[in-house]
Amino acid sequence: MTVFQQIIDGEIPADIVYEDDRCLAFRDVNPQAPVHVLVIPRKPIVSLAQLEDEDESLMGHLMVVSRRVALDMGLDNGFRPIINSGADGGQSVDHLHVHVMGGRGLQWPPG
Ligand code: AMP
């Protein structure tokens, strides 16, 4: 069981900024930018590498929610959605999530 599943199940607290029947968005506990929110599906998908064809609409929904959260948080000047996938991708929690980061100029490329 991942820590994100525990958040979905209400077993541990999170600073939830948006939720609906398919996803949840909450503030990252270790923010790397003034705004750093994670958008996660309620469905326990391990990573982008484990996506199935039937998840196409759900992934689109996560993008639309990422946009909504970013604009609700005042990121009118831009923001960066990031999906780390697998060990080399820097993924540390095995439940698919979109990082929505902004509130400062973000560097490119990432390390
Ligand atoms: P990743 O390295 O892409 O898998 O990102 C995982 C993110 O989850 C990291 O940015 C962590 O700071 C964040 N995180 C881990 N545990 C929690 C938690 N309990 N509540 C909120 N964010 C968390």
Side-chain angles (χ1 to χ4, degrees):
M1 158 106 41
T2 68
V3 65
F4 291 174
Q5 187 62 52
Q6 289 178 290
I7 290 172
I8 291 168
D9 294 342
E11 291 173 3
I12 62 169
D15 188 354
I16 294 170
V17 298
Y18 175 85
E19 64 180 313
D20 62 28
D21 59 333
R22 285 185 283 174
C23 73
L24 205 60
F26 52 89
R27 290 184 194 273
D28 195 293
V29 77
N30 183 24
Q32 300 301 311
V35 174
H36 188 170
V37 170
L38 303 172
V39 182
I40 70 171
R42 291 187 185 275
K43 180 179 176 182
I45 301 169
V46 171
S47 80
L48 207 58
Q50 269 77 35
L51 267 192
E52 296 171 358
D53 288 348
E54 66 180 29
D55 299 320
E56 187 170 334
S57 154
L58 175 60
M59 285 308 295
H61 184 64
L62 296 184
M63 290 296 108
V64 170
V65 169
S66 294
R67 169 198 173 273
R68 175 193 294 216
V69 166
L71 297 185
D72 283 353
M73 299 256 162
L75 302 182
D76 303 303
N77 205 38
F79 57 93
R80 185 175 295 166
I82 299 169
I83 302 176
N84 296 325
S85 184
D88 279 1
Q91 183 176 5
S92 63
V93 178
D94 288 338
H95 185 119
L96 177 68
H97 48 284
V98 183
H99 296 258
V100 178
M101 300 173 66
R104 64 171 170 83
L106 298 166
Q107 296 180 337
W108 189 263

